[in-house]
């Protein structure tokens, strides 16, 4: 059973709208990474937060932004939604940027219409 | 563009057989290599990781790494229908802050 919780599980938005996805990490996991997984593809790295600071970013435009809070929760915000943003969004938490310790949440399925 | 390549499959094997999954990567600076299993509609689950050239065994799973050839493989012995899933290969970057995933190989184990 994963200790990482994501909400909501499913979401439908209209093109041009904004969305906020949430992730609650395991206690002590000071690192959170967000990935986008389009249907039939592998996850793509969006960004990582470590101790509330951005610690690396993938090839995603600035309309993808994030926050990490002291209580180990985090947010992914996407502005000006496009149809291609439809995907499964996964957060993965770990301790001290250790990727072996990655625990993925169950994901948020976003559909943009 | 750093890439990780996998055959998308499906790879179909009979129950009890050995399933062999392969992955190549382009970034020679990668140090850590991971295999994840993903059931349909679920999130990825780590099953193996390997750092050093050679083989690493864990139960029915063996990961093999050849850094010179930039090649990682996963062998599943005594395959079971419950092993039917998509297997994702992932490699880290130099900064150690991201994983690059392949597109995954869909494995089907037939009873």
């Amino acid at each position: 059973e994963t200790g990482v919780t994501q909400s909501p599980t499913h979401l439908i938005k209209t093109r041009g709208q904004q969305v906020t996805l949430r992730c609650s990490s395991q206690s002590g996991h000071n690192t959170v990474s967000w990935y986008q997984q389009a249907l039939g593809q592998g996850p793509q790295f969006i960004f990582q937060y470590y101790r509330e600071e951005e610690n690396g970013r993938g090839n995603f435009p600035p309309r993808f932004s994030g926050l990490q809070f002291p209580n180990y929760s985090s947010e992914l915000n996407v502005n000006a939604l496009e149809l291609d943003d439809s995907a499964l969004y996964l957060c993965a938490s770990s301790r001290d940027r250790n990727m072996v310790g990655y625990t993925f949440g169950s994901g948020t399925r976003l559909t943009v219409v | 563009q750093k890439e990780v390549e996998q055959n998308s499959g499906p790879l179909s094997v009979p129950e009890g057989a050995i399933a062999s999954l392969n992955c190549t990567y382009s970034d020679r600076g990668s140090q850590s290599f991971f295999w994840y299993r993903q059931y349909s509609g679920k999130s990825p689950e780590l099953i193996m990781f390997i750092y050093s050239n050679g083989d690493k065994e864990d139960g029915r799973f063996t990961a093999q790494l050849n850094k010179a050839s930039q090649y990682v493989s996963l062998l599943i012995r005594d395959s079971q229908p419950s092993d039917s899933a998509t297997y994702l290969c992932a490699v880290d970057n130099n900064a150690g802050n991201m994983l690059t995933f392949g597109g995954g190989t869909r494995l089907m184990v037939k009873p």
Side-chain angles (χ1 to χ4, degrees):
Chain A
E1 181 67 28
T2 180
V4 181
T5 304
Q6 291 189 241
S7 63
T9 52
H10 295 86
L11 197 54
I12 299 175
K13 288 288 196 178
T14 303
R15 189 171 48 183
Q17 285 188 314
Q18 178 266 343
V19 68
T20 297
L21 309 183
R22 293 182 171 84
C23 174
S24 178
S25 303
Q26 291 181 219
S27 179
H29 278 202
N30 53 19
T31 305
V32 65
S33 302
W34 285 90
Y35 288 81
Q36 179 197 67
Q37 187 175 23
L39 200 61
Q41 298 182 22
Q44 280 197 293
F45 176 72
I46 302 175
F47 43 58
Q48 182 185 83
Y49 279 79
Y50 172 59
R51 293 183 174 178
E52 302 165 50
E53 298 283 334
E54 187 176 290
N55 184 53
R57 187 179 183 92
N59 190 25
F60 280 81
R63 60 190 184 84
F64 286 78
S65 63
L67 285 171
Q68 184 186 27
F69 303 102
N71 66 351
Y72 307 117
S73 66
S74 63
E75 291 180 351
L76 164 65
N77 298 289
V78 187
N79 293 323
L81 284 166
E82 301 177 359
L83 297 179
D84 284 351
D85 296 332
S86 296
L88 179 67
Y89 288 84
L90 297 159
C91 74
S93 75
S94 66
R95 191 185 299 271
D96 296 334
R97 295 170 292 182
N98 181 355
M99 283 186 280
V100 174
Y102 257 17
T103 300
F104 277 96
S106 54
T108 294
R109 172 73 62 186
L110 173 65
T111 302
V112 182
V113 298
Chain B
Q1 178 79 8
K2 307 284 170 49
E3 292 184 347
V4 177
E5 300 287 343
Q6 295 181 255
N7 188 319
S8 61
L11 173 65
S12 183
V13 300
E15 183 174 356
I18 296 175
S20 178
L21 305 162
N22 305 312
C23 170
T24 59
Y25 62 95
S26 63
D27 184 2
R28 287 196 172 272
S30 296
Q31 298 294 321
S32 304
F33 306 85
F34 303 85
W35 283 99
Y36 285 84
R37 177 176 62 199
Q38 187 173 28
Y39 292 112
S40 181
K42 303 294 186 182
S43 60
E45 169 194 11
L46 180 67
I47 53 173
M48 290 286 290
F49 64 91
I50 187 167
Y51 301 132
S52 305
N53 276 327
D55 295 0
K56 179 181 178 183
E57 186 174 319
D58 184 1
R60 295 187 297 114
F61 300 97
T62 299
Q64 299 174 317
L65 174 61
N66 184 325
K67 289 186 180 179
S69 301
Q70 295 175 252
Y71 178 89
V72 194
S73 65
L74 178 70
L75 299 178
I76 307 175
R77 289 180 299 281
D78 189 24
S79 295
Q80 300 298 308
S82 59
D83 294 327
S84 298
T86 296
Y87 288 80
L88 298 162
C89 172
V91 304
D92 72 345
N93 63 341
N94 273 336
N97 63 356
M98 67 172 277
L99 292 180
T100 300
F101 284 83
T105 298
R106 185 170 158 226
L107 173 66
M108 297 172 59
V109 181
K110 307 229 167 168

